[in-house]
Amino acid sequence: MSMTWYIGRRLAWALLASFIIMSVTFGFLTASPNPATSTVAWEAAQEGDNPEDAIETYEQTRGEDRPLREQYVDFMVSMYTLDWGDSYTYDTDVMGVISNSWVYSALVVIPSTIIAVVVGFAVGIYSSTHQYTKSDYAATFFAFFGISVPNFWLSIMLILVFGVMLQWLPTSYSPDSSMAFWSLEHVKYLIMPIFVLTTAAVASEMRYARAETLEYVNAEWVKSARAKGVSEWRIMYHHIFRPATPVLITILVADFVGIIFSTAYIVEVIFGIPGLGLVSYNALIRMDTPLVLATTLVPVILAILANLLQDILYTVLDPRISYEARN
Amino acid sequence: MPHKDLKAPGAHRREVLLLAGAAGAAGLAGCMSGDDNGNGNGNTSGNGNGNGDDDDVSDDIDDQADVSNREIQPNWISPSASEAQELNPLRINDTTSSARLAPLLDGPYGLDENDEFYGYWFEDYETEDNQTWTFHLRDNLQWGGDYGQMTTEDWVFHVENIAQNEDNWTAHVNQSNWDDVESVTAVDDTTLEVEIADPDPLFVRQPTFWGTYILPKALVEPYFQDYQDGNENAGEELNGSDAVQQLQYTGNLGPYTFESRDIEDRFVAVRNEDYYKRGDDEDWEDAPYFEQYTINILEEESTRLAEFETGGLSSITIPADQVQNYQGEDDYTIVESATPYCSILAYNQRANGWEELRKREVRRALAMAIDKETVANDIYRGFAKPAQTFQPEYSDFYNDDQVEPVGVGDSYNVDEARSLLEENLSDDYSYDGDTLVDADGNQVVLSFVYSNGASLTEDSARYIADALGGLGIDVDSNGVPFNTMLEQYAMVAEDGEPQGIFNDPEAEDPQALSSAREWDLMWGIGFNTYPRSPGSIAAFWTASSGTNFYGYVPEEDLGSMIQEGATATDEEEQQEIFAEVFGILSRDLPVNFIHFQDDIYGYQDEVVFTEDPSPSWGYKQYSWWMTDDPHN
């Protein structure tokens, strides 16, 4: 089977998978009561108006007075033709909202992912090759601390200590509009959020890297390499890290998507970063169907593409893996 | 650059107690736990209702710095807990959204320290018979874009084709404000004559014009024409237009001009160089006194407080349980402002509530077992005042002689409450030792639902449950989100399905109705008591009123009394009638009126206020200035 055929099949599967996920999301949204409806009715009642009329007007402005089938077809067609319509909450086009917010998420997610991967893998491999030493215990302690400490708590503590008490760093993400994007001043606003995101991610990468590479520390080929006088650095990289890479990449994809859409949300709320996680969460809370569907589609596509990339990388990193075996 | 030492002696007053601050838009009335904007501006849209006097003002703002040194500072920064839900003035009914429009549009007029008319777009008004009101518009008001001068024609068009349009083609959310307006006539470009259905000496305090924003006729007219030609989507198209969403029409009608909006991040407006009110008097000489007005969205309360402490915000709303961190600090000024919002403990007198709650004496007995001063002073740290009826004590319509207190001083008496219960409960109930039991000998269990998510509401819910335990009653508490409480417990339900209404005005017996889930007591709802124009309370205390989810059936004809009071032409007569109504409510206790919660605002020390403490705190906020820039 050619790689083109393989990728084609995977992309077709991606379309089907995203269709199912979007349909389920739409189903959940329509089945869930909209909290705003009761509030609208309540306000009308207090002002002596008819609450039913108020609900009707509210639903009319959101196009929810149409038959459900019509709404479903409209939403799905618009999603797959990339005409994502307007967000009910922001009265602006969904594409604009997403293209605006992903930048903020990227500002914290990309650096923290890179740091987490580099530091996490490095410390993990070091731990595995120095098992049961003091440095291994220290790294393990740090990993458990990073995994255990709640992000919201750590964020608030950092704000209190470095923002309020020491006043070294800004307490929230609120750079002046005149501030240059690529400037040291701007970086100061990102230090605490990146640190919080990294703490959790680095710990997870480290534990996986340690566990995975431990398999190879005492492998026959490692012993042979040592016997031949190969340097420890080369052994670590070529003989231990490389065979462990396919599995670590699997974790990486899940971690990356997880950071963007779950961990980053907490950090975005606490530090006031207007990123994709925050927008997505608020869209769900406000039952903003076009924005919910679009912000669902984005991570679904990201995850599917990342998985595809991961599968292709498998074959590069480990030639024993073939496309046929994956079918 | 001016410095702090420019302030006059006495400049370091840090606490200012106000009464009945102008609250936000009507939406606030619904939820005492919910909509904290985090915005420290007392009066954003002016749609609220309050009243009072200065008797309890314990401290005064006397830190008037030298005006001659007044300079324009770079930025006023306010926080917001969430993004605006709407930018279309016709569809806004929440404080978060109206806070975005407030710096761009002044509105027709405000109410000053004495609840008197304070002119913005409308310079003044007159009436001879309280039924025909003539308002005078300034002649220097300009819309933005190509929409020309704001004239009375804009107002006539708004009232006739938007506010009173039967189809409500624009989805205007405050149409009911205009129900009593019979006609509006443009006498000339600046003179507007308004005729109302019945004489109302308090009409100028009603939210009809006060706090109303309109769109220019030249902007709306083509869409209205489209609508008349059969385009049912014309209202949506108007809403989505750049003119509305980019706020291009605001012209010189407010102190600031819209600059940018970064979703979930910030809203920025810049100083309006053509502001119509500049130079009105010394306070407004060069107003506004900031180059930029910024609203920062910070969802997390702790982040907002930290940002304020480090000088990142000019003002903030402070929760009662956090105020102690700021009191006595030289860096901040704290302003406490009473609100007209009454927090109630509702008794379910409907079919799915405890039937004994239909007895006035039983309701009183439960009220006697709850110490309102504990709630106000211990839980709300003194930033709330016990309520006795559906009107705050400072109201002109509250009369001590008529009101019968309960749950304070001697009227908080658990032993007497138990006796009252024993005397008035039906024969099915009795005390077995300290336990109230039913006919089967089982302890009486009351289902208590409250809204969760706000620590002060949850703390007071725990106290209430505990206090009722003192009567030998087992209270089954259940915290739920506010919207769930409304939908599942307050709305009328048929076959377990909520019907979208809270009472059925056509129902022969409102007590035969029920909600989707059973409950006996409910906590977490606050009502606006309308102390400026109490005629609006008809929505709450008649058997057929829209909010009567508790199934109250008054023995007296409260509806007629309220109507009589609202249309009485003599102010003294109005006061007498409403005092009697509030007296009846204090004895009837359709719900337990627990307390009036205060708003607490914090400001950076540099802020200089141009108004004295008053119930209308904030009506001149855009003439406030700063002696220095605290944000650097």
Side-chain angles (χ1 to χ4, degrees), chain A residues 204-225:
Chain A
S204 148
E205 304 298 347
M206 198 169 87
R207 293 306 295 167
Y208 279 120
R210 183 181 182 277
E212 194 55 35
T213 51
L214 263 178
E215 272 188 45
Y216 305 109
V217 167
N218 295 315
E220 293 300 322
W221 65 81
V222 172
K223 288 177 185 167
S224 303

Side-chain angles (χ1 to χ4, degrees), chain B residues 90-365:
Chain B
L90 306 177
R91 294 185 176 185
I92 288 179
N93 62 354
D94 64 293
T95 49
T96 308
S97 302
S98 62
R100 269 58 168 185
L101 290 197
L104 313 178
L105 296 166
D106 276 344
Y109 60 89
L111 296 174
D112 69 9
E113 294 92 339
N114 305 309
D115 275 351
E116 298 297 333
F117 178 101
Y118 183 81
Y120 298 135
W121 298 339
F122 290 179
E123 266 180 314
D124 53 39
Y125 74 97
E126 69 232 11
T127 183
E128 285 178 5
D129 57 2
N130 292 324
Q131 191 161 16
T132 303
W133 297 72
T134 306
F135 293 96
H136 299 283
L137 206 58
R138 291 174 192 252
D139 60 8
N140 63 340
L141 304 172
Q142 289 293 326
W143 293 108
D146 299 325
Y147 305 122
Q149 184 185 342
M150 178 194 272
T151 67
T152 49
E153 282 297 330
D154 292 299
W155 286 92
V156 172
F157 183 85
H158 174 81
V159 176
E160 290 180 349
N161 299 315
I162 297 174
Q164 294 190 333
N165 182 279
E166 282 187 4
D167 300 334
N168 195 12
W169 67 282
T170 59
H172 188 5
V173 292
N174 290 315
Q175 277 200 321
S176 61
N177 287 348
W178 299 87
D179 286 349
D180 294 333
V181 173
E182 291 282 297
S183 67
V184 282
T185 310
V187 177
D188 56 41
D189 277 358
T190 58
T191 309
L192 185 72
E193 202 169 88
V194 181
E195 176 111 8
I196 56 176
D198 296 301
D200 180 2
L202 301 177
F203 176 68
V204 81
R205 295 184 189 172
Q206 301 279 8
T208 312
F209 280 93
W210 170 46
T212 288
Y213 297 135
I214 64 168
L215 292 171
K217 177 184 174 185
L219 164 62
V220 184
E221 202 167 25
Y223 292 96
F224 182 56
Q225 193 62 51
D226 262 9
Y227 175 73
Q228 286 183 312
D229 292 343
N231 178 7
E232 289 191 355
N233 209 31
E236 277 310 301
E237 288 169 11
L238 169 66
N239 181 57
S241 67
D242 284 350
V244 173
Q245 293 302 325
Q246 300 294 319
L247 301 154
Q248 292 166 354
Y249 59 89
T250 60
N252 73 345
L253 303 176
Y256 296 93
T257 303
F258 175 68
E259 172 79 2
S260 62
R261 178 196 189 202
D262 293 327
I263 284 170
E264 299 290 356
D265 185 20
R266 70 185 62 199
F267 180 96
V268 178
V270 293
R271 190 166 179 269
N272 193 334
E273 295 302 333
D274 303 317
Y275 183 37
Y276 76 92
K277 201 169 168 55
R278 184 169 303 145
D280 243 18
D281 56 38
E282 190 185 51
D283 287 339
W284 298 92
E285 188 180 338
D286 209 14
Y289 298 99
F290 301 93
E291 292 290 358
Q292 189 169 299
Y293 187 98
T294 306
I295 298 174
N296 267 4
I297 299 171
L298 299 168
E299 292 206 5
E300 180 61 31
E301 184 181 276
S302 58
T303 313
R304 291 196 295 275
L305 293 170
E307 192 71 10
F308 177 65
E309 282 180 41
T310 53
L313 298 172
S314 309
S315 62
I316 194 170
T317 299
I318 305 174
D321 51 358
Q322 299 285 334
V323 182
Q324 72 275 10
N325 298 331
Y326 303 92
Q327 283 175 311
E329 293 288 330
D330 280 348
D331 294 336
Y332 319 109
T333 304
I334 303 297
V335 177
E336 181 192 357
S337 167
T339 73
Y341 295 103
C342 182
S343 301
I344 59 158
L345 174 68
Y347 300 122
N348 188 3
Q349 297 148 68
R350 282 175 167 176
N352 64 347
W354 188 35
E355 70 283 355
E356 299 295 319
L357 290 171
R358 295 180 185 179
K359 295 177 185 163
R360 176 196 299 184
E361 293 76 13
V362 172
R363 298 196 295 268
R364 175 158 289 273

Side-chain angles (χ1 to χ4, degrees), chain B residues 495-543:
Chain B
D495 301 325
E497 276 301 307
Q499 298 297 300
I501 51 173
F502 299 93
N503 188 22
D504 181 358
E506 308 296 324
E508 281 183 22
D509 178 9
Q511 294 186 329
L513 302 171
S514 60
S515 54
R517 296 189 204 176
E518 292 192 356
W519 62 281
D520 299 310
L521 307 167
M522 186 186 290
W523 172 244
I525 280 179
F527 285 141
N528 191 342
T529 57
Y530 297 98
R532 278 178 173 144
S533 51
S536 305
I537 67 164
F540 305 98
W541 307 117
T542 66

